[in-house]
Every structure is written in C-alpha cells, then in structure tokens.
Amino acid sequence: MARAATTTDVFNAIAEPRRRDVIGVLADGREHAVGEVVVRLRMAQPAVSKHLGVLRKVGVVTVIRRGQHRMYRLNAAELKTVHDWVRTFERYWTHQLDQIRRRAEQKAQERLISKVSGKKEE
Amino acid sequence: MARAATTTDVFNAIAEPRRRDVIGVLADGREHAVGEVVVRLRMAQPAVSKHLGVLRKVGVVTVIRRGQHRMYRLNAAELKTVHDWVRTFERYWTHQLDQIRRRAEQKAQERLISKVSGKKEE
DNA sequence: GGAATATATTCCTATATAGGAATATATGTC
DNA sequence: GACATATATTCCTATATAGGAATATATTCC
C-alpha cells in the first residue's frame, strides 16, 4: 500500500513544509486572498491553490468568495487534534531537571549493559 | 516532485497513523522490544521494524541492543518541534468565549457579503 | 555446530503525491 | 463584448512510499 493520502487527516496535511508555510501566512486568524499568499511565500499560484485545496479538504482552512478573490481563513480548531496528541508528551521536555536525571540514569544503565554484554552501542 | 521523504523530518514521520501507534506503545518512556510492539499492535514484524527504523532516522526513538533483543525508547524531545509549532495556535481554542464571538462575527460578515454579492456560500 | 528466537533487510507492487506547464473558469472594467 | 485579473483544474512526470513475502543476520541454547 502507498502512503496515506494527504487529504486523509490533519497530520498528513501538515506534513508538507510548504503547507505549514501557507498556514503560517493565515496564522493571524484573518482572511487572506490566494494572491497574497503567492506574493508572501513567492510560490507559484497553482501550487498555492493546490495546497489550500488540501488544507480545505481536511478542514484546516475555510474559504469564502469575495468578488474575484477567494478569501481563506485558518480554522485552527482542526489543529487541536495534533496539539492534543503531541501534548501527551509535554512532560518529557517541560521538567528539565527530571529529564536530565532520567537521561543520566539511562546512559549509565546503557554503559553498564554494553560493558556486561561486551558489545558497543549503536 | 514527489512528496518529501518520511525520513526528512518529524512531521513526515508522524504523519503515518501506524507510526503514531508505535510511538503510543513507547509513550511510557521505558524501553520496549520490537516483539512487544508487534504483539501489542498486532502488526507484522517487518512492518514494525520498518516504522521503528523511520522513527529512529528522525531521532524520535533510540535503540540499544540487549542480547537478541533491540530495545527501543522514545526520545520525546524530538516531538517538541511539532509541539512548538502547533502551540502557536493554542490561543484559538483555549479562549472559548473569544472563539465563539469571533465565529459569530465571521458568520455575520459572510452572510452580509453573500447577500450583497448575491452568491451563495461554498 | 544446529535449531530456535528476534529482528532487519530486500524485492515487489499499487498508489499518492508535488511541482511545472498549460488551460479553464469566474469576475471586474471599460 | 473584449480584455485584464484572480483562482482553480488538468495533464504529466519523477519519486517515495507502506505493506506483504521471502530472506538475511544476529543471538541464545543445547
């Protein structure tokens, strides 16, 4: 099987760096025309349209027509899924001292093991 | 150009649902053998090895040999990149009241616009 | 050394891009 | 209506999978 489609879920949608750039432009929460994104990111117009299309399919952005423009707006709520997932690991980097202690213990243990087994570490 | 390699960065690595499952097994911060992941997730062994390989390349997991086992451990610090990025949007869903107000204003504005332009919304 | 166990790697295939080029569609202006 | 502007869509191609099957490698035990 191939990789899952980018339109499958938010994780896939934001995997593309350029799409995160596009989201960055919309990060102020206000609406922006496609052309504005094109200028700000110096990307080809079709590329921007496609990326916005993917983001729209997964619900990360919404769009409304305004004359000849299409105004895109971030729907950050969709990113909450990602936040909720990654947040479960927050404790690993917030408690600096704990982390340093944990790592030291781990290192010590690994050294002990490699000494006993006589194998060198990866 | 094709999509970026999964080994390019953390965002691509966690885009695959099965890999997030694997990370989930390692979420307790302790070391786990490949076989344990295989049993817990009921995945094929080669699949698990491959996913762990990808995660290792981007640094999300570390591995040490222990006898005939390879013990994998989560290196959650690598996930901080994702956390930091998505955290910049946190304000959009934390302040519930603000969000509701913003949405109401937006809706009202969109209705006004569609009435004026005579076009129906997407 | 040989069998058993644990894990990684290789080979193959179907699929999904992402970007570029060209084109289509919609809207505004005169 | 003709033309300009804004945006989306189509077509094409190179590339990168993810999973399954088979195999290779490493380690332990007897």
Side-chain angles (χ1 to χ4, degrees), chain B residues 24-71:
Chain B
V25 174
L26 306 182
D28 62 5
R30 289 184 295 187
E31 50 179 42
H32 297 271
V34 177
E36 194 185 334
V37 179
V38 169
V39 171
R40 296 259 297 262
L41 298 181
R42 289 184 193 128
M43 282 177 65
Q45 175 266 312
V48 172
S49 283
K50 285 173 194 168
H51 286 312
L52 283 169
V54 170
L55 294 174
R56 196 170 72 81
K57 269 179 190 153
V58 299
V60 172
V61 304
T62 57
V63 62
I64 62 168
R65 256 178 243 249
R66 175 163 311 171
Q68 63 200 126
H69 298 250
R70 301 231 184 157
M71 310 305 290

Side-chain angles (χ1 to χ4, degrees), chain B residues 98-111:
Chain B
D98 285 8
Q99 188 186 12
I100 290 165
R101 179 176 50 69
R102 254 199 309 273
R103 287 208 175 183
E105 285 171 359
Q106 181 180 347
K107 279 274 182 187
Q109 191 180 18
E110 284 170 13
R111 268 195 297 274

Side-chain angles (χ1 to χ4, degrees), chain A residues 3 13-14 19 30 32 43 45 49 55 62 79 92 98 101-102 105 109 115 122:
Chain A
R3 200 192 305 195
I14 66 168
R19 269 194 296 270
R30 289 185 293 187
H32 296 271
M43 281 177 66
Q45 175 266 313
S49 282
L55 293 174
T62 57
L79 296 175
Y92 286 106
D98 285 7
R101 180 177 49 71
R102 253 198 312 272
E105 284 172 359
Q109 190 180 18
K115 193 179 292 181
E122 287 273 282

